[in-house]
Amino acid sequence: MVRLRRKIDDYLVSWKNSKDRLPLIVKGARQVGKTDAIENFARNNYSNVVEINFALQKQYKAVFDDGFEVDTIIKNISLINPNFKFVPGETLIFFDEIQDCINVATSLKAFNIDKRYDVICSGSLMGINYREIESNSVGNKQDYEMNSMDFEEFLWARGYRSEQIEDMYLHMLENRALSELEYKVMMNVFEEYMVVGGMPAIVRRFIENGNYGGILDMQRQILLDYKEDITKYAVGLDQARILNVYDKIPVFLGNENKKFRVSKVGNGARNREYVGIIEWLNNAGIINVCYCLERPELPLRGNYNPDNYRIYFRDTGLLIGSLDDEVQEDLRNNKNFNTYKGAIYENVVADMLVKEGYSLYFYKNDKGTIEMDFFVRDSDSLIPIEVKANDNSTVSLNNLINSNLYKDIKYGIKLCNKNIGFNGKFYTFPYFMAFLLKRFLREK
């Protein structure tokens, strides 16, 4: 089986090498590769690994019944499995699926004070009551949120080396166009990424088989699994309303303005009935929320309308999997990514920006004369990002840059199916370079 290189791999090694390391909680949506990454790290870095999965091994929930002293917990674990070895300084304790045993969070303080054993916890964002974990383990843990594979990780999976990716970045930094061959090959790989998405099991199948066979079925199964988890874990909220929103994501993305409207979710639906629904889906790692700015100016935080937003799938492969059979056929046979009114390109760029650490914002003025897909910032300016399904006019981008009304905007970025360029007002980059934007804006 192909072992996929992930960015968390380096993070985990750095964590282990830190003298001040705290118990670590790796959180993320279902099936993004948390368990596989931690197990691989454990095999390569510890003589002894104690792995407990609270979803599959429910008997271990009782190990905390006698209190949270480390020796007591270890004694109880050893009663259930006497083959586990606990050697100070050489043992990793891996608590998996902690959403099924919240007492783990309370134990982290004791493990942190004790320091004899390293502890990593993992759980699905959908099931974790993170407020409860925070209150039980404040100051005694560190967090890592894991996403599905980004485009760079997909390139690694396809066999591309770090030096090749660095060469592509240097073209970007030096404003040098890629060769026709480089451009064509990278665009083809990016189109693969849009169809496959970044769920590791699906990527692995694609890499091993060399074709899209079975991919759609796997994507649709994950979508069904998410539905099942919603009905299992959405405590205190109306599960039917969460499912209503979840099912309507592709519908709203297929609209011209892509704005999410509660009134369109169901007959007679009202905003007050859906309070907390979007936040829950976002916190569960299923969607990315993009808020409309009140004004295209800095600062970004606090300058947006919380009731005006667009929502995107956290993984574009799942958006593809949610589409109807006719669209699937068009995408796979004709590579018609312009279908769905540009939503596929917008969704993948949104996902790439989030995986770089950006929050999502867009802008549309009341007259509808200016509309911009995304905004990011560098050290001293606001940067509009326009995503074009075709290489057509950029009226809004030019208006934002040229107008004296928007003092924080000095230049912009256009992402489209076009080679690298700069016209004195905005940079043009092909879609597949979006994963390099944060580094570019920091180093240019």
Side-chain angles (χ1 to χ4, degrees):
M1 186 173 69
V2 175
R3 158 65 189 156
L4 300 174
R5 178 185 171 192
R6 303 297 305 274
K7 290 183 176 177
I8 193 177
D9 297 342
D10 292 336
Y11 177 88
L12 290 172
V13 171
S14 177
W15 170 80
K16 186 180 188 303
N17 292 335
S18 171
K19 293 181 180 179
D20 301 322
R21 63 184 173 276
L22 300 172
L24 177 65
I25 296 180
V26 178
K27 51 187 180 174
R30 183 185 180 113
Q31 299 191 39
V32 297
K34 301 182 296 295
T35 300
D36 179 70
I38 296 167
E39 287 176 341
N40 178 71
F41 163 72
R43 283 192 301 269
N44 293 322
N45 290 276
Y46 292 88
S47 303
N48 303 292
V49 180
V50 176
E51 180 175 354
I52 295 171
N53 184 311
F54 290 106
L56 301 177
Q57 301 167 300
K58 299 184 185 300
Q59 67 271 28
Y60 284 98
K61 293 181 183 181
V63 302
F64 305 102
D65 288 353
D66 299 320
F68 297 98
E69 291 295 324
V70 171
D71 287 335
T72 302
I73 295 169
I74 289 172
K75 175 185 175 183
N76 288 339
I77 291 174
S78 298
L79 283 171
I80 297 173
N81 186 347
N83 294 317
F84 280 140
K85 294 180 181 179
F86 294 87
V87 181
E90 300 178 13
T91 302
L92 174 70
I93 302 174
F94 175 26
F95 293 127
D96 201 6
E97 304 290 0
I98 64 169
Q99 71 273 4
D100 283 7
C101 184
I102 202 65
N103 280 333
V104 172
T106 307
S107 75
L108 296 184
K109 180 177 182 179
F111 278 109
N112 183 39
I113 294 171
D114 185 87
K115 300 291 186 186
R116 284 178 291 168
Y117 313 104
D118 289 347
V119 177
I120 297 180
C121 306
S122 177
S124 166
L125 279 170
M126 197 178 294
I128 292 177
N129 184 337
Y130 211 71
R131 287 193 182 91
E132 190 172 351
I133 286 180
E134 188 65 42
S135 64
N136 290 351
S137 57
V138 61
N140 293 288
K141 64 170 180 61
Q142 64 188 81
D143 301 303
Y144 183 95
E145 184 168 346
M146 191 172 179
N147 293 299
S148 63
M149 296 172 69
D150 65 18
F151 184 54
E152 185 170 19
E153 291 172 318
F154 187 81
L155 287 172
W156 294 340
R158 288 281 278 104
Y160 289 94
R161 302 183 306 277
S162 297
E163 310 90 80
Q164 293 171 297
I165 297 170
E166 184 67 16
D167 181 67
M168 181 164 57
Y169 173 69
L170 288 176
H171 277 77
M172 186 181 196
L173 188 64
E174 297 167 6
N175 195 28
R176 287 187 292 118
L178 297 166
S179 71
E180 185 176 343
L181 177 62
E182 288 171 322
Y183 188 93
K184 182 178 179 180
V185 169
M186 279 297 110
M187 195 63 200
N188 285 338
V189 176
F190 186 67
E191 288 173 349
E192 292 175 353
Y193 178 66
M194 284 195 287
V195 173
V196 173
M199 291 298 186
I202 298 177
V203 173
R204 185 179 292 112
R205 177 161 183 162
F206 174 73
I207 297 299
E208 290 176 345
N209 293 349
N211 58 56
Y212 295 112
I215 298 299
L216 178 58
D217 289 339
M218 293 179 74
Q219 290 168 335
R220 288 180 170 171
Q221 185 58 54
I222 291 177
L223 291 167
L224 289 173
D225 290 343
Y226 279 3
K227 279 191 172 185
E228 184 178 325
D229 280 356
I230 287 170
T231 60
K232 180 178 179 181
Y233 292 119
V235 179
L237 290 171
D238 189 319
Q239 295 167 355
R241 288 179 177 142
I242 296 178
L243 290 171
N244 282 345
V245 172
Y246 177 73
D247 287 336
K248 294 292 193 305
I249 296 172
V251 176
F252 284 98
L253 286 177
N255 291 338
E256 196 65 46
N257 67 6
K258 299 177 179 61
K259 180 181 177 180
F260 188 85
R261 298 177 186 274
V262 168
S263 60
K264 301 294 184 181
V265 172
N267 292 330
R270 297 179 177 86
N271 281 316
R272 58 182 171 81
E273 298 170 337
Y274 282 79
V275 172
I277 300 295
I278 299 301
E279 290 82 357
W280 190 90
L281 286 167
N282 187 38
N283 291 337
I286 297 174
I287 64 171
N288 290 318
V289 184
C290 184
Y291 291 102
C292 184
L293 292 176
E294 297 279 8
R295 299 166 302 281
E297 63 186 38
L298 296 173
L300 289 169
R301 293 185 184 276
N303 176 31
Y304 65 88
N305 182 349
D307 298 320
N308 187 354
Y309 52 84
R310 298 168 176 174
I311 57 178
Y312 301 95
F313 273 103
R314 193 70 73 95
D315 184 271
T316 300
L318 297 186
L319 169 62
I320 298 292
S322 73
L323 303 179
D324 56 47
D325 291 340
E326 290 74 21
V327 176
Q328 296 285 344
E329 187 175 349
D330 191 16
L331 281 170
R332 294 168 196 274
N333 294 342
N334 305 319
K335 290 194 173 183
N336 182 14
F337 293 96
N338 292 338
T339 189
Y340 231 62
K341 298 181 179 176
I344 296 172
Y345 287 118
E346 272 191 44
N347 199 104
V348 74
V349 170
D351 187 44
M352 293 168 89
L353 291 175
V354 168
K355 285 172 177 173
E356 289 184 86
Y358 287 114
S359 298
L360 299 180
Y361 304 97
F362 74 100
Y363 179 71
K364 186 175 183 179
N365 64 6
D366 293 336
K367 296 178 181 178
T369 54
I370 295 179
E371 182 173 2
M372 188 51 50
D373 300 309
F374 302 107
F375 287 87
V376 296
R377 64 165 301 169
D378 59 19
S379 58
D380 62 355
S381 62
L382 180 66
I383 305 159
I385 298 177
E386 189 158 26
V387 181
K388 286 292 187 181
N390 299 295
D391 183 28
N392 46 15
S393 61
T394 53
V395 176
S396 291
L397 190 57
N398 282 312
N399 286 343
L400 285 169
I401 296 168
N402 294 335
S403 175
N404 293 325
L405 296 175
Y406 313 116
K407 303 292 186 182
D408 293 328
I409 298 175
K410 300 171 184 176
Y411 65 96
I413 293 170
K414 177 182 175 182
L415 297 173
C416 58
N417 190 0
K418 192 174 180 181
N419 217 319
I420 298 168
F422 181 62
N423 64 2
K425 296 180 181 180
F426 59 83
Y427 294 91
T428 298
F429 298 124
Y431 308 112
F432 55 80
M433 285 186 158
F435 78 99
L436 295 165
L437 276 180
K438 193 159 197 171
R439 182 181 172 190
F440 171 77
L441 293 175
R442 185 174 62 245
E443 297 179 2
K444 73 175 178 62

PDB file of all heavy atoms in Angstrom, residues 343-360:
ATOM      1  N   ALA A 343     -18.273  27.288  -9.959  1.00  0.00           N
ATOM      2  CA  ALA A 343     -18.243  26.909  -8.550  1.00  0.00           C
ATOM      3  C   ALA A 343     -17.090  25.976  -8.225  1.00  0.00           C
ATOM      4  O   ALA A 343     -16.534  26.014  -7.120  1.00  0.00           O
ATOM      5  CB  ALA A 343     -19.567  26.257  -8.156  1.00  0.00           C
ATOM      6  N   ILE A 344     -16.700  25.122  -9.163  1.00  0.00           N
ATOM      7  CA  ILE A 344     -15.642  24.154  -8.886  1.00  0.00           C
ATOM      8  C   ILE A 344     -14.310  24.872  -8.701  1.00  0.00           C
ATOM      9  O   ILE A 344     -13.551  24.593  -7.761  1.00  0.00           O
ATOM     10  CB  ILE A 344     -15.563  23.105 -10.009  1.00  0.00           C
ATOM     11  CG1 ILE A 344     -16.871  22.288 -10.043  1.00  0.00           C
ATOM     12  CG2 ILE A 344     -14.367  22.176  -9.813  1.00  0.00           C
ATOM     13  CD1 ILE A 344     -16.992  21.363 -11.222  1.00  0.00           C
ATOM     14  N   TYR A 345     -14.020  25.837  -9.573  1.00  0.00           N
ATOM     15  CA  TYR A 345     -12.782  26.600  -9.416  1.00  0.00           C
ATOM     16  C   TYR A 345     -12.805  27.419  -8.129  1.00  0.00           C
ATOM     17  O   TYR A 345     -11.808  27.499  -7.411  1.00  0.00           O
ATOM     18  CB  TYR A 345     -12.568  27.518 -10.619  1.00  0.00           C
ATOM     19  CG  TYR A 345     -12.165  26.792 -11.882  1.00  0.00           C
ATOM     20  CD1 TYR A 345     -12.964  26.820 -13.015  1.00  0.00           C
ATOM     21  CD2 TYR A 345     -10.969  26.073 -11.935  1.00  0.00           C
ATOM     22  CE1 TYR A 345     -12.594  26.158 -14.177  1.00  0.00           C
ATOM     23  CE2 TYR A 345     -10.584  25.414 -13.091  1.00  0.00           C
ATOM     24  CZ  TYR A 345     -11.401  25.453 -14.208  1.00  0.00           C
ATOM     25  OH  TYR A 345     -11.023  24.783 -15.342  1.00  0.00           O
ATOM     26  N   GLU A 346     -13.924  28.051  -7.840  1.00  0.00           N
ATOM     27  CA  GLU A 346     -14.028  28.831  -6.604  1.00  0.00           C
ATOM     28  C   GLU A 346     -13.840  27.943  -5.389  1.00  0.00           C
ATOM     29  O   GLU A 346     -13.170  28.307  -4.424  1.00  0.00           O
ATOM     30  CB  GLU A 346     -15.393  29.539  -6.526  1.00  0.00           C
ATOM     31  CG  GLU A 346     -15.418  30.895  -7.177  1.00  0.00           C
ATOM     32  CD  GLU A 346     -16.695  31.660  -6.842  1.00  0.00           C
ATOM     33  OE1 GLU A 346     -17.102  31.657  -5.668  1.00  0.00           O
ATOM     34  OE2 GLU A 346     -17.284  32.246  -7.762  1.00  0.00           O
ATOM     35  N   ASN A 347     -14.469  26.771  -5.413  1.00  0.00           N
ATOM     36  CA  ASN A 347     -14.401  25.877  -4.259  1.00  0.00           C
ATOM     37  C   ASN A 347     -12.972  25.415  -4.008  1.00  0.00           C
ATOM     38  O   ASN A 347     -12.500  25.396  -2.865  1.00  0.00           O
ATOM     39  CB  ASN A 347     -15.307  24.666  -4.471  1.00  0.00           C
ATOM     40  CG  ASN A 347     -15.641  23.959  -3.173  1.00  0.00           C
ATOM     41  OD1 ASN A 347     -16.737  24.089  -2.632  1.00  0.00           O
ATOM     42  ND2 ASN A 347     -14.707  23.179  -2.657  1.00  0.00           N
ATOM     43  N   VAL A 348     -12.270  25.047  -5.077  1.00  0.00           N
ATOM     44  CA  VAL A 348     -10.911  24.546  -4.881  1.00  0.00           C
ATOM     45  C   VAL A 348      -9.977  25.663  -4.427  1.00  0.00           C
ATOM     46  O   VAL A 348      -9.094  25.443  -3.582  1.00  0.00           O
ATOM     47  CB  VAL A 348     -10.379  23.845  -6.158  1.00  0.00           C
ATOM     48  CG1 VAL A 348     -10.028  24.831  -7.249  1.00  0.00           C
ATOM     49  CG2 VAL A 348      -9.184  22.958  -5.823  1.00  0.00           C
ATOM     50  N   VAL A 349     -10.152  26.886  -4.927  1.00  0.00           N
ATOM     51  CA  VAL A 349      -9.323  28.006  -4.471  1.00  0.00           C
ATOM     52  C   VAL A 349      -9.628  28.329  -3.005  1.00  0.00           C
ATOM     53  O   VAL A 349      -8.711  28.562  -2.208  1.00  0.00           O
ATOM     54  CB  VAL A 349      -9.529  29.241  -5.361  1.00  0.00           C
ATOM     55  CG1 VAL A 349      -8.869  30.473  -4.745  1.00  0.00           C
ATOM     56  CG2 VAL A 349      -8.954  28.996  -6.752  1.00  0.00           C
ATOM     57  N   ALA A 350     -10.915  28.324  -2.637  1.00  0.00           N
ATOM     58  CA  ALA A 350     -11.279  28.554  -1.237  1.00  0.00           C
ATOM     59  C   ALA A 350     -10.603  27.535  -0.329  1.00  0.00           C
ATOM     60  O   ALA A 350     -10.038  27.875   0.714  1.00  0.00           O
ATOM     61  CB  ALA A 350     -12.801  28.489  -1.077  1.00  0.00           C
ATOM     62  N   ASP A 351     -10.650  26.278  -0.736  1.00  0.00           N
ATOM     63  CA  ASP A 351     -10.042  25.212   0.049  1.00  0.00           C
ATOM     64  C   ASP A 351      -8.532  25.386   0.147  1.00  0.00           C
ATOM     65  O   ASP A 351      -7.934  25.202   1.216  1.00  0.00           O
ATOM     66  CB  ASP A 351     -10.386  23.860  -0.590  1.00  0.00           C
ATOM     67  CG  ASP A 351      -9.931  22.676   0.249  1.00  0.00           C
ATOM     68  OD1 ASP A 351     -10.135  22.711   1.468  1.00  0.00           O
ATOM     69  OD2 ASP A 351      -9.362  21.730  -0.316  1.00  0.00           O
ATOM     70  N   MET A 352      -7.894  25.779  -0.948  1.00  0.00           N
ATOM     71  CA  MET A 352      -6.445  25.976  -0.942  1.00  0.00           C
ATOM     72  C   MET A 352      -6.059  27.144  -0.027  1.00  0.00           C
ATOM     73  O   MET A 352      -5.052  27.087   0.687  1.00  0.00           O
ATOM     74  CB  MET A 352      -5.942  26.202  -2.367  1.00  0.00           C
ATOM     75  CG  MET A 352      -6.077  24.964  -3.253  1.00  0.00           C
ATOM     76  SD  MET A 352      -5.824  25.296  -5.018  1.00  0.00           S
ATOM     77  CE  MET A 352      -4.051  25.062  -5.163  1.00  0.00           C
ATOM     78  N   LEU A 353      -6.848  28.206  -0.035  1.00  0.00           N
ATOM     79  CA  LEU A 353      -6.562  29.351   0.829  1.00  0.00           C
ATOM     80  C   LEU A 353      -6.699  28.971   2.299  1.00  0.00           C
ATOM     81  O   LEU A 353      -5.865  29.336   3.134  1.00  0.00           O
ATOM     82  CB  LEU A 353      -7.493  30.516   0.491  1.00  0.00           C
ATOM     83  CG  LEU A 353      -7.283  31.197  -0.859  1.00  0.00           C
ATOM     84  CD1 LEU A 353      -8.365  32.244  -1.107  1.00  0.00           C
ATOM     85  CD2 LEU A 353      -5.897  31.839  -0.953  1.00  0.00           C
ATOM     86  N   VAL A 354      -7.753  28.234   2.629  1.00  0.00           N
ATOM     87  CA  VAL A 354      -7.961  27.807   4.018  1.00  0.00           C
ATOM     88  C   VAL A 354      -6.820  26.907   4.475  1.00  0.00           C
ATOM     89  O   VAL A 354      -6.328  27.017   5.606  1.00  0.00           O
ATOM     90  CB  VAL A 354      -9.322  27.100   4.170  1.00  0.00           C
ATOM     91  CG1 VAL A 354      -9.426  26.390   5.517  1.00  0.00           C
ATOM     92  CG2 VAL A 354     -10.456  28.108   4.033  1.00  0.00           C
ATOM     93  N   LYS A 355      -6.362  26.017   3.611  1.00  0.00           N
ATOM     94  CA  LYS A 355      -5.276  25.106   3.974  1.00  0.00           C
ATOM     95  C   LYS A 355      -3.950  25.842   4.130  1.00  0.00           C
ATOM     96  O   LYS A 355      -3.013  25.304   4.725  1.00  0.00           O
ATOM     97  CB  LYS A 355      -5.167  23.985   2.938  1.00  0.00           C
ATOM     98  CG  LYS A 355      -6.290  22.958   3.095  1.00  0.00           C
ATOM     99  CD  LYS A 355      -6.331  21.938   1.983  1.00  0.00           C
ATOM    100  CE  LYS A 355      -7.432  20.912   2.243  1.00  0.00           C
ATOM    101  NZ  LYS A 355      -7.633  19.989   1.107  1.00  0.00           N
ATOM    102  N   GLU A 356      -3.861  27.073   3.620  1.00  0.00           N
ATOM    103  CA  GLU A 356      -2.688  27.916   3.868  1.00  0.00           C
ATOM    104  C   GLU A 356      -2.838  28.727   5.155  1.00  0.00           C
ATOM    105  O   GLU A 356      -1.906  29.423   5.557  1.00  0.00           O
ATOM    106  CB  GLU A 356      -2.467  28.875   2.702  1.00  0.00           C
ATOM    107  CG  GLU A 356      -1.974  28.229   1.432  1.00  0.00           C
ATOM    108  CD  GLU A 356      -1.692  29.258   0.353  1.00  0.00           C
ATOM    109  OE1 GLU A 356      -0.572  29.806   0.322  1.00  0.00           O
ATOM    110  OE2 GLU A 356      -2.600  29.524  -0.453  1.00  0.00           O
ATOM    111  N   GLY A 357      -4.009  28.674   5.766  1.00  0.00           N
ATOM    112  CA  GLY A 357      -4.228  29.393   7.015  1.00  0.00           C
ATOM    113  C   GLY A 357      -5.036  30.664   6.890  1.00  0.00           C
ATOM    114  O   GLY A 357      -5.192  31.407   7.867  1.00  0.00           O
ATOM    115  N   TYR A 358      -5.581  30.947   5.709  1.00  0.00           N
ATOM    116  CA  TYR A 358      -6.376  32.154   5.515  1.00  0.00           C
ATOM    117  C   TYR A 358      -7.834  31.933   5.945  1.00  0.00           C
ATOM    118  O   TYR A 358      -8.373  30.838   5.804  1.00  0.00           O
ATOM    119  CB  TYR A 358      -6.391  32.573   4.042  1.00  0.00           C
ATOM    120  CG  TYR A 358      -5.100  33.163   3.538  1.00  0.00           C
ATOM    121  CD1 TYR A 358      -4.338  32.512   2.571  1.00  0.00           C
ATOM    122  CD2 TYR A 358      -4.645  34.394   4.010  1.00  0.00           C
ATOM    123  CE1 TYR A 358      -3.161  33.064   2.086  1.00  0.00           C
ATOM    124  CE2 TYR A 358      -3.464  34.947   3.534  1.00  0.00           C
ATOM    125  CZ  TYR A 358      -2.730  34.276   2.574  1.00  0.00           C
ATOM    126  OH  TYR A 358      -1.559  34.833   2.100  1.00  0.00           O
ATOM    127  N   SER A 359      -8.467  32.994   6.439  1.00  0.00           N
ATOM    128  CA  SER A 359      -9.920  33.049   6.558  1.00  0.00           C
ATOM    129  C   SER A 359     -10.467  33.569   5.234  1.00  0.00           C
ATOM    130  O   SER A 359      -9.750  34.222   4.470  1.00  0.00           O
ATOM    131  CB  SER A 359     -10.338  33.974   7.703  1.00  0.00           C
ATOM    132  OG  SER A 359      -9.852  33.479   8.942  1.00  0.00           O
ATOM    133  N   LEU A 360     -11.746  33.296   4.977  1.00  0.00           N
ATOM    134  CA  LEU A 360     -12.314  33.620   3.668  1.00  0.00           C
ATOM    135  C   LEU A 360     -13.246  34.819   3.736  1.00  0.00           C
ATOM    136  O   LEU A 360     -14.129  34.894   4.591  1.00  0.00           O
ATOM    137  CB  LEU A 360     -13.087  32.419   3.116  1.00  0.00           C
ATOM    138  CG  LEU A 360     -12.281  31.137   2.885  1.00  0.00           C
ATOM    139  CD1 LEU A 360     -13.187  30.036   2.349  1.00  0.00           C
ATOM    140  CD2 LEU A 360     -11.112  31.383   1.927  1.00  0.00           C
TER     141      LEU A 360
END
